[in-house]
Amino acid sequence: MSYLKSWVDSANSASTDFPLNNLPYGVFSIGDEAPRCGVAIGEHVLDLAAVESQGLLSIGDSPLCQDACWNPLMALGKDSWALFRERLIALLSEGSAEQARLQEYLYPLADAQMHMPFTVTEFTDFYAGRHHATNVGTMFRGAENALPPNWLHIPIGYNGRASSVVVSGTDVRRPWGQLKGPDQELPAFLPSRRFDLELEMGAIVGSASNGPVSVDEADAMIFGYVLLNDWSARDIQAWEYQPLGPFQAKATATTISPWIVTSAALEAFRVSTPEREFELLPHLKDTGPMLYDIDLTVTLAPQDKPATTIASTNYREMYYSAAQQLAHHSTSGCPMRTGDLLGSGTISGPERSMRGSLLELSWGGKEPLTLDSGETRSFLEDGDTLTLHGHAQGDGFRIGFGDCAGTLVPALDDPYAR
Ligand code: CA
């Protein structure tokens, strides 16, 4: 995709997350006004509910931008997504005849409060990064049993909770749970002491399916992507996870970035999945470059202290693509619905500095991390703010995701002591 120039000046900066090539979809509000659909362009957001009401954006009979969520457009499928995007590009391109009319619907992003961009129908979390799975498996089960026997054949995952997915900027409260250390005979109910982040990408299902879909069909069903921090209580997880996998350890919160970066905007950044150790069965085989070259970083800022970059990695480090995860998800006949969110699994790379969780960065607490402030961290402390950043680098522009941030606030008093 070559670089597109907009009449919105700030969109033409090489460092903006939101050039005309991006056009990510979000839901925003200004002051006390109601939340509404918008698209980010440079340092502004264009109010698409208003633009649609003016008759400048319709691609069919039904309104698509009046529900303060993007599910209505998501449900229409790939051809409609392309038409809608084409229309937006025309409206915001340099020389657009509508510039004067649109100007009054532009708001500074700095004034915008962001909301959940879509209604999450269901949330599934995968475990599809090989470096992460190897690191965690080594810590939990030893190096010889690090990867479970199924791992190189299917993208393994579990059904999470849609109800606890929150938008960037939402505080996350340290949870209580049942903990049992290896040296303790019996478990105790306590606030988690090993609360962690997971650096992931979230893939958002647009068109629904009813029955098994191929990898190519799955790829075409994905509307777009967000950054995703899958907060994890490692001590709750270690006690509860066998044999059915994580449950309460992953149910406190999952934070997503507020802008849906569309598959169309990322198309030019496709890269191949890594070499396969075992050939995948035909229904999961790669059909072309299925991952994206997206640089990812995580910063940690203790309360009232500057942020330290604690990890830098890339989405291309994944073993399975979102399309393969979605295809696998459907093999049993499981219907997939508009608004289903698929977490990639933690994205770690081969180097220590590329590990996408504190569990890995501090190697289970054995090698605490030193922050720029001089403090150390094995796991998160109350008041820590975690921010995920991500962008695909084009020639003179970049496709960015905006921040995915959350602050850990202290546990409440024992919720059952009343
Ligand atoms: Ca996860």
Side-chain angles (χ1 to χ4, degrees), residues 29-356:
S29 61
I30 303 287
D32 296 336
E33 293 171 14
R36 51 206 189 264
C37 288
V39 66
I41 180 79
E43 288 166 18
H44 289 80
V45 51
L46 181 65
D47 180 347
L48 293 186
V51 171
E52 186 181 59
S53 298
Q54 294 295 310
L56 294 170
L57 195 54
S58 54
I59 57 161
D61 298 333
S62 313
L64 297 171
C65 302
Q66 306 300 319
D67 285 355
C69 75
W70 282 95
N71 299 57
L73 175 64
M74 285 155 55
L76 293 183
K78 210 170 175 161
D79 293 346
S80 299
W81 307 339
L83 266 180
F84 190 85
R85 180 176 165 84
E86 214 173 274
R87 183 79 193 125
L88 271 182
I89 288 175
L91 288 175
L92 287 164
S93 284
E94 196 177 45
S96 162
E98 308 297 348
Q99 177 175 346
R101 280 179 83 188
L102 293 173
Q103 207 101 43
E104 65 175 301
Y105 305 120
L106 275 184
Y107 298 88
L109 272 177
D111 295 346
Q113 163 84 26
M114 299 308 298
H115 304 269
M116 279 293 291
F118 68 106
T119 302
V120 181
T121 308
E122 300 197 46
F123 172 46
T124 308
D125 195 29
F126 286 88
Y127 188 60
R130 185 167 187 172
H131 303 290
H132 172 73
T134 303
N135 288 339
V136 173
T138 302
M139 276 182 267
F140 278 42
R141 288 179 298 275
E144 24 343 301
N145 300 312
L147 281 188
N150 53 9
W151 203 94
L152 293 166
H153 302 276
I154 47 172
I156 60 176
Y158 67 97
N159 290 309
R161 293 289 302 172
S163 61
S164 53
V165 180
V166 297
V167 73
S168 176
T170 308
D171 285 346
V172 174
R173 189 166 296 282
R174 183 184 295 275
W176 286 69
Q178 206 175 100
L179 321 178
K180 190 187 96 58
D183 306 332
Q184 289 158 327
E185 197 180 334
L186 293 170
F189 187 69
L190 292 165
S192 169
R193 294 161 180 166
R194 290 160 75 94
F195 202 65
D196 198 359
L197 77 140
E198 289 190 333
L199 166 61
E200 302 192 27
M201 296 285 299
I204 301 162
V205 175
S207 18
S209 64
N210 195 2
V213 298
S214 69
V215 171
D216 277 339
E217 287 166 339
D219 196 55
M221 286 166 62
I222 297 172
F223 179 68
Y225 292 81
V226 285
L227 305 176
L228 185 151
N229 179 359
D230 192 32
W231 304 87
S232 300
R234 301 301 180 190
D235 37 11
I236 298 174
Q237 183 179 359
W239 171 232
E240 74 175 2
Y241 89 106
Q242 301 205 63
L244 295 182
F247 188 52
Q248 290 303 288
K250 308 278 190 168
T252 298
T254 300
T255 303
I256 62 168
S257 50
W259 297 104
I260 305 173
V261 175
T262 59
S263 300
L266 291 169
E267 184 61 33
F269 302 95
R270 283 181 181 266
V271 287
S272 297
T273 42
E275 195 112 348
R276 302 303 181 187
E277 195 166 313
F278 292 97
E279 202 177 329
L280 293 170
L281 288 172
H283 70 288
L284 289 179
K285 264 206 178 122
D286 306 278
T287 55
M290 313 229 73
L291 286 173
Y292 298 97
D293 182 1
I294 299 170
D295 286 323
L296 300 165
T297 59
V298 186
T299 65
L300 189 163
Q303 192 160 13
D304 304 323
K305 301 259 172 65
T308 302
T309 299
I310 60 168
S312 302
T313 182
N314 192 292
Y315 186 45
R316 67 191 305 165
E317 297 292 343
M318 297 303 298
Y319 194 78
Y320 295 101
S321 64
Q324 287 165 316
Q325 293 171 334
L326 178 53
H328 173 59
H329 209 319
S330 75
T331 46
S332 59
C334 175
M336 300 304 296
R337 294 187 287 181
T338 302
D340 277 353
L341 175 64
L342 310 187
S344 59
T346 306
I347 307 166
S348 294
E351 312 294 331
R352 185 188 182 199
S353 62
M354 300 171 79
R355 295 175 184 165

Side-chain angles (χ1 to χ4, degrees), residues 16-36:
T16 181
D17 269 356
F18 309 126
L20 182 55
N21 294 62
N22 192 349
L23 297 180
Y25 303 132
V27 171
F28 75 103
S29 61
I30 303 287
D32 296 336
E33 293 171 14
R36 51 206 189 264

